[in-house]
Amino acid sequence: MHKIVNFWINLRASLWFIPGLMLTCSIFAALILIDLDSRINREWLIAFPSLFGLGADGSRGMLTAIASSMLTVVALTFALTLNAMTQASGQFTPRIFRNFMRDRVNQFVLGYFVSVFAYCLLVLRTIRGGDELKFVPSIAVLVGLVLALGGIIALIFFIHHIADSLQITTIISRIVDETIDAIKGKFPKEIGRPAGAEERENVWKAEDDQKWIEIPAMKSGYVQSVDSDGLFDFAEEYRVIARMDRGVGQFVGRGISLVSLTTEPKTDSFKFVPTDEEVIEEINDFFNIGRHRTIDQDIGFGIRQIVDIALKALSPGVNDTTTAVNCIDHLGEIVGEIARRELPSKIRAGKDGGRIIVLAPDLREYVESAFDQIRISGKANLAIFIRLLEAIEYVAHITESEQRRIVLKEQIIQISEYADRTLETDYEKKKFGDALAKTRRTISS
């Protein structure tokens, strides 16, 4: 089931699936309408000559014009989409390239024009006139005209959509929406139950004393998702401790350790042979590994995309502080969404003795991923330092956990020390000092 779900996610994200589906539907629609035209009573069609009175030659000419224009518009659509992809990935970050491919509007508009082209071709081949047995599928021809008029609306909307898609605020907002959806989908789910104190002690003891057997990866790529439930059920069934050595978003080389297995400290041996090929394949099936990182389970990838945009904006060749500030605002929103949620324990236990050590980032890692590189790239930039403090202040408002506020306080210390070293004027230092004092009051309250 895990593999099927991931296959479906990747299929929907491809640029060809929705157009291919629409093309298939248009073929069936053409065949159904042609069959309907061959069976229907023609008398009531004659009663509406303005709608259905087009002859064989006129129908051929109109459908030929529609088909040829649709093919031209398809080429234009491809050109606009690829140009937008290239411009956005070059100006902001290459990691947003797949976002344009996943865009439902791009997929729909491309599929619409291709579908109308195929529809017109199928209807065109059934028209008979002159010395032939006369047949004009009037209803199908009328539907073709309606689809062509709809294509005008689709083209106008598509041009507007492409122009809007190139705006940095739109790009960032879409990344944020996808990331927050991934957060909501990932964190409410618990795997087993949190391990108790004695169970955690047994796991840490196993970490130190037991011999771990590494399960190698059978392919290389990025871990796109992990079937944690399946891995946990495996550990519980055989009463072993399973430690994830690679987590979502990390690169895995062929043959490198994916999961390490060991028995409970009081158990002498495995109930199976860990090096058996079937066991290795079964554990590898819990990991979906592909050429690209995806955002569905990889929250860090969403953060990574926004951080990349901010770093590009802060580069000397661009020097766009406003874009970097927008990125910091949205990073604060994402980290705040994480901070308001209960992150699952890294050690999960089952009632039958299975244990699993989950390799997943905690709040500290998310905070560091979001702010560390921007802080360094924002050297001597007062606006960046102040906005980082405001983002952390927002996260502090969200969470009441003292342990999480300690993480935020540590980040504030890093920002303060770097600002003191890089800010040059007394005015800038005073402005930063006022913002720093305000943030510290908020976190301490």
Side-chain angles (χ1 to χ4, degrees), residues 7 15 45 50 117 120 177 187 201 205 210 232 277 280 308 312-313 326 341 348 372 381 384 393 433:
F7 174 76
L15 189 59
L45 296 178
S50 58
F117 172 75
C120 290
D177 291 342
F187 286 140
E201 183 179 350
K205 183 178 179 182
Q210 297 289 99
F232 178 76
E277 189 171 325
I280 294 175
D308 283 348
K312 193 71 173 282
N326 288 337
R341 296 178 179 274
R348 312 300 297 176
D372 277 359
N381 193 323
I384 295 298
E393 185 177 340

Side-chain angles (χ1 to χ4, degrees), residues 65-131:
I66 293 174
S68 60
S69 62
M70 287 300 110
L71 201 57
T72 302
V73 174
V74 166
L76 174 64
T77 304
F78 264 117
L80 287 175
T81 303
L82 291 176
N83 181 64
M85 288 179 179
T86 304
Q87 183 176 343
S89 61
Q91 184 175 354
F92 304 119
T93 169
R95 272 154 288 282
I96 64 173
F97 196 92
R98 282 174 61 82
N99 294 357
F100 280 87
M101 294 180 61
R102 290 160 54 99
D103 192 308
R104 288 286 178 268
V105 173
N106 293 342
Q107 294 175 356
F108 171 80
V109 172
L110 180 61
Y112 184 89
F113 292 127
V114 172
S115 300
V116 175
F117 172 75
Y119 175 89
C120 290
L121 286 185
L122 287 174
V123 176
L124 188 61
R125 63 180 290 275
T126 64
I127 298 176
R128 302 287 186 272
D131 297 333

Side-chain angles (χ1 to χ4, degrees), residues 305-315 323-324 327-328 331 374:
Q305 291 181 72
I306 300 178
V307 169
D308 283 348
I309 295 173
L311 297 180
K312 193 71 173 282
L314 290 173
S315 63
T323 295
C327 291
I328 294 171
L331 286 170
I374 296 178

